[in-house]
């Protein structure tokens, strides 16, 4: 009888330990579920951001790219949340910087094209003037040769 009571006590102790281990495992599993959900949510958000970036990159022409990138940067800036993941915030900041630099390059390119067009017009005028002066010199030389 004593042996049965000792076995019973031992089994109750084992049951108690098993319950404690089960609680610990459940808490650990619950924590992992929360971590997984957060990671999955972050991954989906980053995937969506890359999709939007891809749409900007495939926009036709340099101007279309610059405008769609600027629009994306503005959209991302207005959708920043306080609890946003660090990588998402970094991505948003990178897109903002990239949009600013692309805008500057696009503006500089337009200015250079404008200056190039102006220089071509000036070059055309100077070339015409040079040709006229060559013709004048040729005529004066011929006239001088006839007078000799």
């Amino acid at each position: 009888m004593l042996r049965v009571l000792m076995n019973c006590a031992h089994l109750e102790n084992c049951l108690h330990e098993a319950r404690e281990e089960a609680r610990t495992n459940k808490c650990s599993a619950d924590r992992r579920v929360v971590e997984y959900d957060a990671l999955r949510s972050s991954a989906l958000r980053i995937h969506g951001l890359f999709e939007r970036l891809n749409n900007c990159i495939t926009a036709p022409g340099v101007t279309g790219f610059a405008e769609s990138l600027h629009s994306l940067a503005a959209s991302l800036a207005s959708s920043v949340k306080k609890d946003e993941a660090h990588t998402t915030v970094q991505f948003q900041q990178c897109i903002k910087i990239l949009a600013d630099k692309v805008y500057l390059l696009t503006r500089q390119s337009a200015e250079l094209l404008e200056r190039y067009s102006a220089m071509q017009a000036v070059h055309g005028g100077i070339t015409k003037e040079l040709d006229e002066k060559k013709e004048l010199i040729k005529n004066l030389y011929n006239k001088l040769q006839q007078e000799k």
Side-chain angles (χ1 to χ4, degrees), residues 64-133:
F65 170 64
E67 289 174 359
S68 61
L69 191 61
H70 177 72
S71 176
L72 174 62
S75 171
L76 292 177
S78 69
S79 69
V80 172
K81 298 173 187 163
K82 291 178 183 176
D83 62 341
E84 202 73 63
H86 181 66
T87 52
T88 305
V89 172
Q90 280 183 316
F91 183 84
Q92 291 168 337
Q93 290 170 345
C94 286
I95 293 298
K96 171 72 171 112
I97 291 167
L98 180 62
D100 291 344
K101 289 184 178 187
V102 167
Y103 170 75
L104 287 174
L105 289 172
T106 304
R107 194 177 74 200
Q108 286 175 349
S109 175
E111 289 171 1
L112 288 173
L113 281 172
E114 193 176 304
R115 286 172 53 193
Y116 176 73
S117 295
M119 289 298 145
Q120 275 187 316
V122 169
H123 180 265
I126 290 173
T127 303
K128 183 179 177 186
E129 188 179 326
L130 180 63
D131 290 341
E132 289 171 357
K133 293 202 183 214

Side-chain angles (χ1 to χ4, degrees), residues 47-69:
H47 178 74
L49 293 173
F50 274 105
E51 283 291 321
R52 292 174 68 188
L53 177 60
N54 185 46
N55 290 338
C56 292
I57 291 169
T58 57
V62 175
T63 306
F65 170 64
E67 289 174 359
S68 61
L69 191 61

Side-chain angles (χ1 to χ4, degrees), residues 29-45:
D30 289 345
R31 187 175 61 251
R32 286 189 190 126
V33 165
V34 169
E35 290 171 358
Y36 171 80
D37 286 344
L39 284 173
R40 186 173 189 289
S41 175
S42 179
L44 289 173
R45 175 102 170 114

